[in-house]
Amino acid sequence: MLAFILRRLAQAVVVMLAVGLIAFALFRFVGDPVLFMLGQDATPQDRERVTRLLGLDQPFYVQYASFVKRAVQGEFGLSLRQMRPVSALIVERLPATLELSFVAALLALVAGIAMGVYTALRPRSWLSQLLLALSLIGVSLPTFLIGILLILVFSVQLGWLPSFGRGETLAIGWWTTGFLTASGLKALVLPAITLGLFQMTLIQRLTRAEMLEVLRTDYIRFARARGLTDRAVYFRHALKNTLVPVITITGLQLGSIIAFAIITETVFQWPGLGLLFIQAVNFADVPVMAAYLCLAALFFVVINLVVDLLYYAVDPRLRIQPA
Amino acid sequence: MILQAKNLRVEFRTRRGTLVAVDDVSFSVARGEVLGVVGESGAGKSLTGLAIMGLLEAPGRLAAGEVWLEGQRIDRLPQAALRAIRGRRIGVVFQDPLGSLNPLFTIGEQLEETIRTHLGLAGKELRQRALALLAEVGIPAPQARFHHYPHQFSGGMRQRVVIALALAAEPILLIADEPTTALDVSMQAQIIALIKRVARERGAAVMLITHDMGVIAETADRVAVMYAGRIVEIGTVRDVLHAPRHPYTAGLMASIPRIAAGAGRSRLAQIEGAMPRLDAIPRGCPFHPRCPKRFERCLSSRPELMPAEESQAACWLHASAIAQR
Ligand SMILES: Nc1ncnc2c1ncn2[C@@H]1O[C@H](COP(=O)(O)OP(=O)(O)O)[C@@H](O)[C@H]1O
Ligand SMILES: [Mg+2]
């Protein structure tokens, strides 16, 4: 168990160092920081002084090491556009993205598994056919199009839900939440559906395929032969075995939900990290871009780690070596 | 009689027509009796067992026939009623002991849920009964093994667990479908002995399905030989094994590996050819293309089971004996 965790941790560190290198390279190769700080008409002496001050005369690996050291402490410098610490910007935007991603993932997981199980158990019902057809559409339509369609119907035509922003938020310490106000919850609906739809259809199809596979196994046949109730056979035995791969893959998808939030946040002008990143790209705001990259990578790595551990906890075959 | 199967017919409706996988199969098993069902792979043995339990999966279906359990007809029962019989009055053991157990539940959990479902026990009583069962089927240190997962057991131990599961609610009929086929030879004898012992101790009837005449010889009281979906010979083990009346049975007998010879299992070396596919069962006696004793009548008309000395055989060789009587 410990060896397993340590090995995974080591892998995670390697991934983070690699992403850090890319983020660091952004600083080096996108624009010239000295030029940016001093302007066009600085003297060569000034330039040299600032270069030394910033440590840019040091060898590459020394600079990278100090970058990593600062990054670990959450220190990415000032945003070039807003002239505020990047870390402050991130902390400000983080809750919006996490809340949106969380709701989207929850929606995708609950609805996806429910629909997947239903379509597997009742393959011939008209509802199953409909769900399968819809899931095909869900997989093939691009996210921004779904977002725009939802806005068109529910905001423009029906006027039920807002088309942009987070609504009212409450501050709990440094965290701002939209969960506690009516307008905050209303504002979440369309973006969460937009963001979660693709994953939901994916989870639905995956659950269905896994469930059908499990229902063909000998232990399900034997469970029936033992006279267990349909409920026990389907929702105890079959579902648990179905959920192992589904949860693993869904967990891994959580990272891409956060990453895909960029598109959804842009469509809905959702004040989260994705929007921050897009704006940073437009302005070549390198520190913000670098910080976003590292943070996104950190999410991926942490999620993968948690999923691995979950998998380990759920599947006894991984846990204990055969006696 | 604990089990009576009457004229069972299992069909598969396919696009290319209806395949008959079990055709007019009748037999019975008495209390405390072990009926062996033997035949090559594909003969319809497993489907017969599944049909009795009502576990045929689409597109397979019981197209005709009746299943009687202790004088009660069960093949027309609604699913819920059948479910209550499965595990409770009919226990089942399948071939693959690892596949039969859910890998994500401990054997204790699987045992307890079976007992709880059928006997409604709970708490201490439930636990005690589960442990007693594990001890009965010969699992050493049941207390410790209770919380182990299937993959932590060896093949033979797993099959013992499966047998414990099958016996959990004290069924009166045990259907064991090739219970030793997946096990190594040293394990086979132990599992067979275990099945025999529990059947005797509990007075249960056993339907033991196998393709191994050797297993039949060691275990069964009576034997039904199946070929291409039909019973071709049925009688007591002594009669059938010492004096097989059907040429197919004789061929099977000749294929029992001689322990002294030490050679590997050369199954059915004595019978040329293979069993026909379901969509190509020949006219007349289905066995005639492979039969060393065939004559004209075998090519054109199909023999039913007819008395042949003490046994019954579906072979025209015995028609003359009837006529003479
Ligand atoms: N789903 C199915 N569709 C068509 N034929 C089937 C199906 N399942 C089994 N069969 C056929 O039924 C026959 C009997 O199978 P089975 O009872 O499993 O044989 P045995 O147990 O004697 O080896 C085989 O020839 C097999 O091909
Ligand atoms: Mg079989």
Side-chain angles (χ1 to χ4, degrees):
Chain A
M1 180 71 193
L2 195 65
F4 174 81
I5 295 177
L6 287 179
R7 200 164 60 235
R8 283 288 186 280
L9 272 178
Q11 283 167 1
V13 169
V14 170
V15 170
M16 286 312 297
L17 283 176
V19 173
L21 193 62
I22 294 171
F24 172 66
L26 275 179
F27 278 100
R28 293 298 310 263
F29 302 116
V30 179
D32 178 349
V34 178
L35 189 70
F36 181 85
M37 291 185 86
L38 296 181
Q40 288 291 346
D41 31 51
T43 63
Q45 286 82 2
D46 282 344
R47 293 177 59 91
E48 198 178 315
R49 199 166 46 82
V50 171
T51 300
R52 207 173 310 118
L53 204 67
L54 291 177
L56 294 177
D57 56 340
Q58 302 275 337
F60 174 81
Y61 58 87
V62 175
Q63 290 186 45
Y64 177 53
S66 75
F67 169 82
V68 170
K69 198 173 145 210
R70 276 181 290 124
V72 166
Q73 293 160 347
E75 183 59 59
F76 285 90
L78 292 182
S79 157
L80 303 182
R81 190 165 69 96
Q82 306 195 24
M83 285 306 164
R84 291 174 53 201
V86 173
S87 49
L89 284 176
I90 296 230
V91 165
E92 199 175 286
R93 300 293 195 104
L94 192 62
T97 293
L98 288 187
E99 286 191 352
L100 174 60
S101 303
F102 173 76
V103 174
L106 200 67
L107 185 80
L109 196 64
V110 172
I113 288 176
M115 288 174 1
V117 167
Y118 180 81
T119 51
L121 294 182
R122 299 251 179 287
R124 268 183 271 271
S125 87
W126 63 268
L127 185 57
S128 291
Q129 308 285 336
L130 183 73
L131 287 175
L132 284 177
L134 285 180
S135 78
L136 208 60
I137 299 174
V139 169
S140 48
L141 276 187
T143 305
F144 72 89
L145 202 60
I146 291 170
I148 290 170
L149 285 176
L150 287 176
I151 289 177
L152 199 66
V153 174
F154 293 98
S155 305
V156 180
Q157 300 283 335
L158 298 170
W160 290 352
L161 296 164
S163 63
F164 66 89
R166 259 188 110 184
E168 274 177 69
T169 56
L170 291 181
I172 302 173
W174 59 272
W175 188 277
T176 57
T177 179
F179 287 162
L180 299 176
T181 64
S183 77
L185 288 174
K186 268 171 102 174
L188 256 171
V189 177
L190 293 186
I193 292 176
T194 306
L195 183 56
L197 200 65
F198 180 78
Q199 306 296 338
M200 183 181 80
T201 54
L202 220 60
I203 292 170
Q204 180 203 335
R205 301 191 142 251
L206 182 70
T207 306
R208 176 173 170 276
E210 283 296 334
M211 188 90 174
L212 287 175
E213 190 74 29
V214 169
L215 287 177
R216 275 196 292 271
T217 59
D218 282 349
Y219 56 81
I220 292 300
R221 211 159 53 105
F222 188 57
R224 285 217 179 90
R226 282 192 276 150
L228 300 187
T229 59
D230 280 354
R231 225 179 79 181
V233 171
Y234 293 141
F235 297 109
R236 206 168 121 81
H237 285 271
L239 192 59
K240 188 165 182 187
N241 288 271
T242 301
L243 287 185
V244 170
V246 169
I247 285 179
T248 313
I249 296 180
T250 307
L252 297 178
Q253 294 291 330
L254 209 62
S256 49
I257 286 192
I258 293 175
F260 272 115
I262 292 179
I263 299 169
T264 307
E265 288 184 4
T266 310
V267 172
F268 288 92
Q269 289 298 300
W270 188 264
L273 289 177
L275 201 59
L276 182 72
F277 177 70
I278 288 292
Q279 288 161 350
V281 169
N282 287 340
F283 286 89
D285 193 344
V286 174
V288 173
M289 287 160 67
Y292 179 83
L293 264 183
C294 292
L295 195 64
L298 186 67
F299 280 141
F300 267 92
V301 164
V302 169
I303 288 165
N304 280 14
L305 200 64
V306 170
V307 168
D308 273 346
L309 294 178
L310 264 183
Y311 196 54
Y312 201 77
V314 171
D315 195 333
R317 281 166 298 187
L318 297 176
R319 216 182 308 151
I320 318 155
Q321 295 310 305
Chain B
M1 280 302 148
I2 284 187
L3 173 71
Q4 280 181 288
K6 296 182 183 172
N7 311 102
L8 298 184
R9 180 183 175 91
V10 175
E11 290 182 354
F12 289 95
R13 291 252 171 88
T14 68
R15 266 179 235 104
R16 283 170 290 118
T18 302
L19 302 176
V20 182
V22 174
D23 192 359
D24 202 19
V25 164
S26 303
F27 58 85
S28 57
V29 196
R31 180 173 300 275
E33 183 182 51
V34 178
L35 173 77
V37 179
V38 72
E40 283 168 278
S41 169
K45 308 180 297 291
S46 297
L47 290 177
T48 304
L50 292 173
I52 288 167
M53 289 181 290
L55 278 178
L56 289 172
E57 277 161 31
R61 64 185 195 102
L62 187 63
E66 300 174 5
V67 180
W68 293 75
L69 186 70
E70 290 187 306
Q72 179 199 7
R73 183 162 178 196
I74 61 168
D75 57 290
R76 289 288 170 79
L77 290 179
Q79 271 305 313
L82 252 182
R83 211 216 78 231
I85 289 177
R86 288 197 289 263
R88 177 72 187 87
R89 295 167 66 197
I90 307 179
V92 190
V93 176
F94 289 125
Q95 172 174 336
D96 174 14
L98 180 56
S100 291
L101 299 170
N102 192 328
L104 300 188
F105 292 88
T106 66
I107 61 156
E109 287 169 329
Q110 300 186 54
L111 201 49
E112 287 195 342
E113 79 173 330
T114 312
I115 301 170
R116 197 185 309 114
T117 302
H118 293 297
L119 304 181
L121 297 184
K124 231 180 171 165
E125 262 183 307
L126 176 62
R127 176 63 54 95
Q128 261 162 12
R129 171 143 185 93
L131 290 172
L133 266 165
L134 288 178
E136 186 181 352
V137 297
I139 305 272
Q143 289 273 7
R145 295 302 247 160
F146 194 81
H147 300 287
H148 286 183
Y149 289 90
H151 71 271
Q152 294 171 279
F153 291 80
S154 68
M157 282 297 149
R158 268 180 223 141
Q159 195 62 304
R160 286 171 192 268
V161 172
V162 170
I163 291 172
L165 281 164
L167 297 176
E170 311 223 330
I172 46 163
L173 172 66
L174 180 67
I175 299 180
D177 190 349
E178 312 240 8
T180 60
T181 305
L183 303 179
D184 56 44
V185 185
S186 59
M187 238 21 258
Q188 290 184 358
Q190 292 184 31
I191 294 296
I192 289 295
L194 172 64
I195 289 176
K196 244 173 114 168
R197 193 190 85 218
V198 294
R200 199 179 52 238
E201 284 172 1
R202 298 173 170 220
V206 178
M207 179 176 161
L208 177 67
I209 297 171
T210 176
H211 60 254
D212 189 340
M213 265 295 187
V215 169
I216 297 286
E218 284 165 36
T219 322
D221 302 304
R222 286 192 310 129
V223 58
V225 181
M226 287 190 73
Y227 185 80
R230 297 192 143 215
I231 292 183
V232 294
E233 179 162 0
I234 184 166
T236 66
V237 165
R238 213 190 32 187
D239 292 330
V240 173
L241 265 58
H242 288 162
R245 302 295 163 185
H246 196 287
Y248 178 63
T249 316
L252 280 181
M253 289 304 304
S255 70
I256 298 180
R258 305 269 171 263
I259 294 158
R265 300 210 156 185
S266 55
R267 273 204 291 133
L268 302 187
Q270 275 66 17
I271 311 177
E272 291 282 311
M275 203 168 56
R277 285 178 19 180
L278 293 184
D279 54 359
I281 293 177
R283 239 169 73 86
C285 172
F287 186 60
H288 83 251
R290 300 170 75 186
C291 184
K293 297 188 176 167
R294 66 169 171 259
F295 54 102
E296 247 162 71
R297 193 172 186 181
C298 307
L299 311 188
S300 56
S301 64
R302 189 166 184 168
E304 301 295 323
L305 275 178
M306 51 192 100
E309 309 294 329
E310 301 300 313
S311 325
Q312 286 188 299
C315 177
W316 290 125
L317 287 173
H318 302 283
S320 51
I322 301 171
Q324 276 163 21
R325 251 179 230 170

